[in-house]
Amino acid sequence: MKQSPRSLRSLPPRGHVSTFGRPGGTDMARMARKDIGEIRGIIARAKRLDVIFGVAGLLALGLGLLTFATLFVDMALDGYSRLTPDFFTEFPSRRAERAGILSAWVGTTLVMLVTACVAVPLGVAAGIYLEEYAPRNWVTDIIEINIANLAGVPSIIYGLLALGLFVYEFSLGQSILTAGLTLALLILPVVIVATREAIRSIPSHIREGAYALGATKWQVVQHHILPYSMGGIMTGVIIGMARAIGETAPIITIGALTFIAFLPASPVTGTFPFLSFEWLQSPFTVMPIQIFNWTSRPDPNFHANAAAAGFVLVLMTLTMNGLAIWLRYRIRRNIKW
Amino acid sequence: MSANRLSHRASRHVKERIIESILFLAALVSVATTLGIVYILVKESVVFFNQVPLWDFLTDTQWTPLFDDAHFGIIVLLSGTLVSSGVALAVAIPLGTLIAIYLSEFASARAREFAKPVLELLSGVPTIIYGYFALLFLTPLLQKLIPGLPGFNLLSAGIVMGIMIVPYVASISEDAMRAVPMSLREGSYAMGATRLQTALKVVFPGALSGIAAAYILGISRAVGETMILAVAAGMQPNLTWNPTESAATITAFIVQVALGDLPHGSVGYQTIFAAGLTLMLLTLVFNVLGHMMRRRFREQY
Amino acid sequence: MAEPKPDLDTLPLKAQASALDFYYGDFQALKKIDMPIYEKRVTALIGPSGCGKSTFLRCFNRMHDLYPGNRYVGEISLHPDNVNLLDKSVDPIEVRMRLSMVFQKPNPFPKTIFENVAYGLRVRGVNRRAILEEKVEEALRAAALWNEVKDRLQDMAFNLSGGQQQRLCIARALATEPEILLFDEPTSALDPIATASIEELITELKQRVTILIVTHNMQQAARVSDFTAYMYIGELVEFGWTDDIFIKPKNPQTEAYITGRFG
């Protein structure tokens, strides 16, 4: 099968001096008329720089991670003494050792509930529209440019929007509803972009298969697009919520009180219809506001409270982001179209 | 039979149209948000500028809106914003670029797979936490190095802000460099170039507009950042270009006013909208520039 | 190629592959390749897709070292030094400095025309303007591009046409005076006119340098090469003077491929 090349001329004499692997060779290489030894020197220098840069890059990466570890450990150490069960069940107090984050975490939970209820349906619907329905025209272009720009608007601007529009024009007050709506608008671009990316990763032959069976557009969306993109959408929603949970500036801007020693009305009641929406109008505080409040006080005892609450908040955001990353990793691994 | 079918199709058609309209309205919410922002900022600012001449706003060197002798020189707040952003960029650009080059050209696939999500986690830390870190960890540390450094200062806030945007800058730059086709790298390696030579002379210039976009979007984030500055840089308006001083930024001023209880409709209340409008225009310029760069880069490959 | 063919034993040898195996991870892409490369001759590698011809070419300048999991067994000795290019002690960077490569798709760097050609010299630490200018002009002339670009050396290389870009890449490869020029299907992304000019260039270049070219176009192999090697699923099936391979192949499989009956 295989035919060996014909016998060729013999190799050059054994005694021939190699210019490779040994310095000070002849000008055989003729590399830009430079001596081979000089070339080797240049390669060695270039490689040294290579190594130095590699180490520098690793150090830079390490520095980033180290800062984060320091931040985490510093907070844990500062707040360690305050992380007791009481800390989670006490209201804020004028005395640092007795203060807790009950109203803060309840407020955060309720605000997040509003945010999720508004941002998820709106964001997913907008994402579906842009991917599956939108015609290629100037209206669509405006919507797309607009979403890209909204993602870059500083969060405090959303606070000003909420202050002017929700608090005063719509008279919603400095309530849980206002805060929830504000944060929902803030994370809307995140949810929309995640939805679009998830939908875009569904190959068109899936759609075509369904259309070929006579499905309408909405049926295709309902039966195929939404279920298949659910994982990706969830990832985006979680990342958006993790961002909302830590947002401080817009909530401060709407004038949320920082000293709240009571809980909003319970959403579940004992009498018919068992649900109450009174809590939506309630004043509130949230975790990041509580941390800001305690950090801004000169008394170092309150700094320990801030550290403890900060540790809890970081843990919450880390868990959420970690969950999102893991979810995305799983989707990437499992889906093979 | 055929009439029956037709009517069925018509009702189906109506249902589809209704659903499409609902989805379209949802997409319009984002446009409405932008319009709402512009409306509110402009509306309150117009009232503000009826009382404070634009010229004074741009040229006055004092910012004392809450005093009896009120001055409205935005340059005072702008100086704080620019100095702190400058410090942040001095940290974020070198570190972010170094990390991006390292991850894109030097690190193994496994190291990259580990580092990218960790960077992502880092960028998810709430900024109030970074503020705490700047005020209560970094500032005491810096005070040991720089005697006389005040408890509130732009330097500490700027450095921490820089660290906060490192993952952002690194991630966008890395994406840009990875988008440079492998054939260019091979061309360079085939000439006997090392990794560093290839990275600096071929990949970096090839990804330049994408990397520039990363820097510009980083600037935009620094300019709009609020909590780190409100916590660690102080809220005293101070016209300074010295990062070791305390100064309020545009964002910190808005927080300061919001924390007090200014009556709705007062000049003080309108001030924050004028400041907000300035901030919005500033970040808008950077964002538009950044997105244009990014688009140009995407078209290149 | 009309003149009588010299005896192979008298031809100077530039390189020799001996018992060369190559693995992508567990997959063996080259099997026991033995093949000579004669000095200042054009050797063409032909064969159906996936036969390993590009893989073989990329062994010569150790491009496979760039990706993890690749493994060479056997040797490629470079003459006259008679050193094994694939030996672990040999620096792949030095190998790549001595052997240049031109790729399938033109891949000019995002730099000016001048800097593209000067790149290899700069990598070698040459920074003197006068030397660079001289070398760049020489290389561009050799690549038959000088007249077209001499007035716009500071233009970005992207602005050139596809054929010009490929000639620029050839100039880039020539500027460092390589001992062997490796071409990996250099015309597959070009139109027929640009292809003709590259082919003409290759025939001229063999006065100066040894050339190894991978092509999937048999007419091209017949037009430009002195020697042709036919490969099939990682093996060298037949090697010989191009005339012989195309007119009277010894192996029936080669003949089937040449005559278009398969592949």
Side-chain angles (χ1 to χ4, degrees):
Chain A
M1 175 82 191
K2 191 188 128 200
Q3 185 179 322
S4 239
R6 280 157 278 180
S7 157
L8 303 159
R9 52 158 246 170
S10 55
L11 291 175
R14 287 277 161 209
H16 192 92
V17 180
S18 164
T19 54
F20 257 106
R22 234 169 290 174
T26 63
D27 65 347
M28 208 60 90
R30 301 171 322 186
M31 274 179 284
R33 306 225 162 76
K34 278 204 168 195
D35 181 49
I36 190 85
E38 199 181 328
I39 292 287
R40 289 222 172 87
I42 288 163
I43 296 180
R45 261 202 306 283
K47 281 191 158 177
R48 217 154 35 235
L49 280 176
D50 225 40
V51 171
I52 291 172
F53 188 89
V55 171
L58 207 55
L59 280 180
L61 198 59
L63 188 68
L65 300 185
L66 187 75
T67 315
F68 182 63
T70 313
L71 184 151
F72 203 63
V73 170
D74 178 51
M75 284 219 145
L77 289 179
D78 288 358
Y80 176 72
S81 62
R82 300 289 303 127
L83 281 170
T84 60
D86 285 351
F87 189 63
F88 295 90
T89 57
E90 290 288 340
F91 287 113
S93 161
R94 299 199 192 285
R95 275 193 288 161
E97 348 27 281
R98 282 189 45 194
I101 54 170
L102 178 63
S103 47
W105 73 254
V106 171
T108 288
T109 311
L110 293 175
V111 170
M112 286 304 114
L113 192 65
V114 177
T115 302
C117 287
V118 176
V120 174
L122 274 183
V124 173
I128 291 172
Y129 176 78
L130 289 173
E131 280 305 309
E132 297 291 319
Y133 287 84
R136 290 282 122 217
N137 61 18
W138 62 273
V139 181
T140 309
D141 283 350
I142 285 183
I143 296 176
E144 295 201 347
I145 293 168
N146 186 61
I147 290 169
N149 276 322
L150 269 186
V153 170
S155 61
I156 197 158
I157 299 287
Y158 285 90
L160 290 175
L161 167 74
L163 179 65
L165 208 62
F166 297 154
V167 176
Y168 291 112
E169 301 239 331
F170 298 168
S171 302
L172 296 177
Q174 290 145 351
S175 61
I176 289 178
L177 182 61
T178 301
L181 287 177
T182 312
L183 295 182
L185 292 185
L186 183 72
I187 66 166
L188 205 51
V190 180
V191 180
I192 296 176
V193 169
T195 304
R196 295 188 65 179
E197 272 172 14
I199 292 178
R200 219 175 294 155
S201 70
I202 300 172
S204 58
H205 64 79
I206 299 272
R207 286 181 191 81
E208 284 165 7
Y211 282 127
L213 293 172
T216 64
K217 210 163 206 177
W218 177 243
Q219 283 169 330
V220 172
V221 168
Q222 208 181 353
H223 301 153
H224 302 281
I225 304 297
L226 262 183
Y228 307 154
S229 56
M230 203 40 91
I233 295 175
M234 280 305 293
T235 311
V237 168
I238 297 172
I239 289 175
M241 295 299 283
R243 181 167 167 210
I245 215 172
E247 272 299 342
T248 323
I251 310 264
I252 289 184
T253 312
I254 60 175
L257 288 176
T258 50
F259 189 83
I260 298 280
F262 54 86
L263 291 182
S266 167
V268 185
T269 59
T271 56
F272 188 79
F274 305 112
L275 280 178
S276 153
F277 290 100
E278 220 186 299
W279 56 275
L280 284 174
Q281 276 120 55
S282 172
F284 67 101
T285 187
V286 287
M287 294 284 293
I289 299 269
Q290 194 62 66
I291 297 166
F292 174 65
N293 182 5
W294 281 333
T295 307
S296 318
R297 300 218 187 171
D299 180 357
N301 284 326
F302 280 105
H303 294 165
N305 286 3
F311 186 77
V312 174
L313 184 64
V314 171
L315 224 50
M316 282 157 93
T317 55
L318 277 190
T319 312
M320 292 171 82
N321 279 312
L323 190 68
I325 291 169
W326 175 77
L327 205 60
R328 192 175 50 205
Y329 173 76
R330 267 200 43 167
I331 296 168
R332 277 196 195 144
R333 208 189 43 187
N334 290 346
I335 292 185
K336 292 189 180 70
W337 293 107
Chain B
M1 173 73 194
S2 88
N4 195 359
R5 247 193 192 169
L6 265 173
S7 71
H8 185 67
R9 254 174 63 189
S11 78
R12 185 156 71 190
H13 190 68
V14 169
K15 188 185 161 203
E16 286 285 317
R17 292 297 299 207
I18 291 172
I19 288 167
E20 182 172 349
S21 308
I22 292 172
L23 296 177
F24 176 66
L25 287 179
L28 274 190
V29 169
S30 73
V31 179
T33 307
T34 305
L35 291 179
I37 289 174
V38 172
Y39 166 71
I40 289 293
L41 291 181
V42 170
K43 183 186 133 206
E44 301 288 350
S45 297
V46 163
V47 183
F48 173 82
F49 284 116
N50 275 338
Q51 296 168 54
V52 179
L54 182 63
W55 182 247
D56 288 359
F57 187 70
L58 294 178
T59 57
D60 203 326
T61 55
Q62 285 184 65
W63 179 264
T64 54
L66 309 180
F67 291 5
D68 289 339
D69 174 28
H71 285 275
F72 300 92
I74 192 71
I75 186 84
V76 179
L77 298 182
L78 215 50
S79 77
T81 295
L82 293 181
V83 171
S84 57
S85 300
V87 173
L89 292 178
V91 173
I93 287 184
L95 272 183
T97 312
L98 206 59
I99 290 176
I101 295 179
Y102 179 78
L103 285 181
S104 155
E105 306 299 312
F106 283 72
S108 66
R110 277 177 98 182
R112 187 164 48 233
E113 249 166 59
F114 168 77
K116 284 277 273 188
V118 171
L119 283 179
E120 215 173 316
L121 277 182
L122 261 170
S123 62
V125 173
T127 59
I128 179 71
I129 303 292
Y130 282 112
Y132 172 93
F133 186 67
L135 179 70
L136 297 173
F137 183 86
L138 189 61
T139 297
L141 206 68
L142 288 175
Q143 279 172 328
K144 284 182 192 140
L145 297 173
I146 310 168
L149 188 73
F152 293 125
N153 62 77
L154 293 166
L155 183 64
S156 169
I159 291 173
V160 170
M161 195 154 77
I163 289 170
M164 180 193 82
I165 55 180
V166 161
Y168 191 69
V169 172
S171 165
I172 302 181
S173 309
E174 202 246 6
D175 286 348
M177 284 194 272
R178 302 259 287 161
V180 172
M182 200 59 208
S183 65
L184 283 188
R185 282 187 194 90
E186 288 196 342
S188 172
Y189 284 125
M191 306 292 299
T194 60
R195 275 169 192 248
L196 184 63
Q197 286 167 329
T198 305
L200 295 185
K201 293 181 179 170
V202 174
V203 180
F204 190 88
L208 196 59
S209 53
I211 293 169
Y215 294 168
I216 292 170
L217 295 176
I219 296 174
S220 162
R221 284 200 100 178
V223 167
E225 174 46 37
T226 309
M227 293 321 293
I228 297 176
L229 294 148
V231 169
M235 300 188 192
Q236 275 310 312
N238 178 10
L239 179 54
T240 180
W241 306 104
N242 178 359
T244 61
E245 285 183 29
S246 154
T249 60
I250 298 177
T251 52
F253 169 75
I254 298 174
V255 166
Q256 187 205 8
V257 171
L259 284 175
D261 39 14
L262 277 174
H264 175 221
S266 66
V267 181
Y269 170 83
Q270 281 140 6
T271 321
I272 61 176
F273 289 92
L277 185 62
T278 314
L279 181 67
M280 178 80 186
L281 291 176
L282 212 58
T283 51
L284 189 70
V285 169
F286 287 126
N287 285 337
V288 169
L289 216 61
H291 285 298
M292 267 165 52
M293 288 281 207
R294 240 180 147 175
R295 179 167 295 185
R296 215 182 78 184
F297 176 69
R298 288 208 184 112
E299 278 161 8
Q300 198 173 326
Y301 295 113
Chain C
M1 274 171 271
E3 73 272 24
K5 284 171 284 198
D7 182 8
L8 284 180
D9 283 345
T10 65
L11 282 179
L13 200 58
K14 186 61 207 171
Q16 165 80 46
S18 323
L20 175 67
D21 292 336
F22 179 78
Y23 298 86
Y24 289 112
D26 293 331
F27 174 70
Q28 184 169 9
L30 295 178
K31 294 165 196 161
K32 292 276 166 288
I33 306 274
D34 289 290
M35 198 178 116
I37 310 290
Y38 294 106
E39 187 158 18
K40 307 231 165 111
R41 297 280 176 174
V42 178
T43 305
L45 298 169
I46 62 169
S49 310
C51 69
K53 51 194 194 298
S54 285
T55 304
F56 182 44
L57 186 82
R58 290 162 71 94
C59 287
F60 280 82
N61 67 345
R62 302 271 299 264
M63 285 308 269
H64 297 301
D65 287 37
L66 293 176
Y67 307 96
N70 295 341
R71 193 156 55 88
Y72 314 90
V73 179
E75 64 175 67
I76 296 177
S77 53
L78 188 67
H79 298 301
D81 331 20
N82 190 24
V83 60
N84 178 12
L85 291 177
L86 304 178
D87 198 89
K88 288 223 176 349
S89 69
V90 172
D91 185 353
I93 291 182
E94 201 178 314
V95 173
R96 293 181 200 137
M97 284 187 177
R98 292 179 61 170
L99 280 66
S100 285
M101 184 159 181
V102 176
F103 294 80
Q104 199 166 357
K105 263 179 69 184
N107 57 350
F109 301 134
K111 293 168 175 292
T112 61
I113 293 169
F114 183 89
E115 284 302 326
N116 259 282
V117 182
Y119 185 78
L121 299 163
R122 291 217 189 261
V123 161
R124 282 159 181 71
V126 181
N127 280 313
R128 288 255 309 281
R129 193 78 199 169
I131 299 179
L132 288 177
E133 276 171 4
E134 180 200 324
K135 293 278 171 192
V136 167
E137 177 174 346
E138 205 182 299
L140 283 170
R141 279 188 194 283
L145 193 59
W146 176 251
N147 288 329
E148 288 158 66
V149 301
K150 64 181 175 205
D151 300 320
R152 46 176 181 143
L153 291 175
Q154 297 309 321
D155 269 20
M156 290 303 281
F158 286 143
N159 298 335
L160 297 173
S161 73
Q164 287 175 323
Q165 286 189 7
Q166 194 61 304
R167 274 180 286 152
L168 181 73
C169 291
I170 294 173
R172 186 173 77 190
L174 285 174
T176 53
E177 300 179 28
E179 295 169 60
I180 303 182
L181 248 183
L182 307 169
F183 285 92
D184 189 0
E185 303 195 17
T187 60
S188 63
L190 303 180
D191 62 63
I193 294 171
T195 299
S197 75
I198 300 282
E199 283 181 10
E200 197 182 326
L201 184 57
I202 290 171
T203 11
E204 273 170 34
L205 284 175
K206 75 173 179 188
Q207 321 287 333
R208 316 162 49 118
V209 60
T210 308
I211 291 172
L212 189 55
I213 175 170
V214 167
T215 175
H216 59 204
N217 176 338
M218 279 178 292
Q219 282 71 39
Q220 181 167 71
R223 282 192 298 263
V224 302
S225 69
D226 303 304
F227 293 94
T228 295
Y230 172 65
M231 291 177 71
Y232 184 65
I233 20 182
E235 295 190 43
L236 177 62
V237 178
E238 188 165 353
F239 172 86
W241 288 101
T242 299
D243 295 0
D244 295 348
I245 294 272
F246 277 88
I247 297 162
K248 40 180 195 248
K250 291 198 172 52
N251 191 299
Q253 213 190 332
T254 315
E255 191 183 356
Y257 181 73
I258 302 274
T259 52
R261 263 186 280 136
F262 115 104

